Amino acid sequence: MTLPDFNTAADEICRAGMLLDARNMAPATSGNYSMRLNDGAFAMTVSGHHKGRLVPANIMRVDARARPLEDKKPSAEALLHAQIYRLFPATNAILHVHSVPGAVLTRLLKEDVVLEGYEMLKIFPGIATHDVRVVIPVVGNSQDMEELSAELSKKIKGDVPAYLIRDHGFYVWGDTMESCVNMCEALEYLFACEVETLKIKAGARA
Ligand SMILES: [Zn+2]
């Protein structure tokens, strides 16, 4: 596939921010988004901007180790983007969002999230049936990105391109920004279904 130049990627990232904000996945200045560029660098959201109101000046170029290539500051979590691009070389776009059902689910469950039997799972690469069991890894939150990436490298496998950070949100990666937005919406739906199911089961036991 053809990789974008910076201006094209910046437009796609701004559009993704609007779409995700419309679905309540970009509260305050949360989240960070990135894309692989056609010159070997990466486009990444600048720290501190509301993702629903991004303009191209809020996007910056970083290298493969998430170091700035211009005088702007990437998110601290840019290192986690660099790790995903390194571990899964077919990745061309990454979204990190602060999802309400994603965060709530990690507060209700001690273990990884298991998604089983949902039609929506067919949105993920390589899954052609609802009759499947998918595990989304959950790692503990940390402000130490080295510690977080070390824990992630033990847990993430990439059979489904996503992981959750406890009390925080999730990451999803894919070959295009459009596929990432779709997978984001699918995960948000699936996590919301799981939360609703747990609520009803808890009510039935009460
Ligand atoms: Zn975050």
Side-chain angles (χ1 to χ4, degrees):
M1 69 164 287
T2 316
L3 292 171
D5 61 17
F6 178 82
N7 290 339
T8 304
D11 286 345
E12 283 198 50
I13 288 172
C14 293
R15 183 172 150 72
M18 280 193 302
L19 293 169
L20 295 171
D21 185 36
R23 298 189 66 93
N24 198 30
M25 282 189 273
T29 60
S30 66
N32 37 70
Y33 315 154
S34 70
M35 288 180 75
R36 186 190 297 275
L37 300 175
N38 60 6
D39 61 1
F42 296 82
M44 164 101 41
T45 42
V46 175
S47 181
H49 294 284
H50 195 294
K51 304 305 177 296
R53 302 190 280 276
L54 287 174
V55 294
N58 305 144
I59 318 297
M60 63 180 296
R61 288 164 53 84
V62 299
D63 70 10
R65 292 169 66 183
R67 293 174 300 201
L69 294 173
E70 55 187 293
D71 190 21
K72 292 177 179 172
K73 183 174 171 287
S75 158
E77 292 176 58
L79 284 173
L80 301 183
H81 288 242
Q83 180 184 35
I84 291 168
Y85 286 117
R86 193 167 59 248
L87 290 175
F88 306 105
T91 300
N92 294 326
I94 300 173
L95 291 172
H96 165 54
V97 297
H98 289 196
S99 140
V100 172
V104 170
L105 196 52
T106 66
R107 297 172 82 87
L108 296 173
L109 301 175
K110 288 190 176 62
E111 307 297 330
D112 292 341
V113 171
V114 177
L115 302 170
E116 192 166 12
Y118 287 105
E119 178 72 13
M120 185 64 89
L121 289 167
K122 287 160 61 181
I123 198 81
F124 295 106
I127 294 180
T129 171
H130 67 282
D131 189 14
V132 66
R133 182 178 189 273
V134 164
V135 177
I136 307 292
V138 180
V139 296
N141 197 17
S142 171
Q143 302 306 316
D144 181 337
M145 290 306 132
E146 301 289 341
E147 181 186 299
L148 197 48
S149 60
E151 193 187 348
L152 282 164
S153 65
K154 285 183 245 156
K155 288 205 76 164
I156 53 177
K157 297 178 186 71
D159 38 355
V160 160
Y163 62 75
L164 280 152
I165 304 178
R166 193 174 298 286
D167 308 328
H168 182 158
F170 64 82
Y171 276 78
V172 63
W173 56 94
D175 58 351
T176 64
M177 184 50 86
E178 186 182 3
S179 70
C180 284
V181 171
N182 284 337
M183 288 189 288
C184 240
E185 291 189 10
L187 283 168
E188 176 88 347
Y189 165 94
L190 290 161
F191 295 152
C193 286
E194 288 294 298
V195 169
E196 289 302 312
T197 303
L198 287 170
K199 274 178 6 192
I200 291 165
K201 281 182 177 169
R205 280 198 299 270

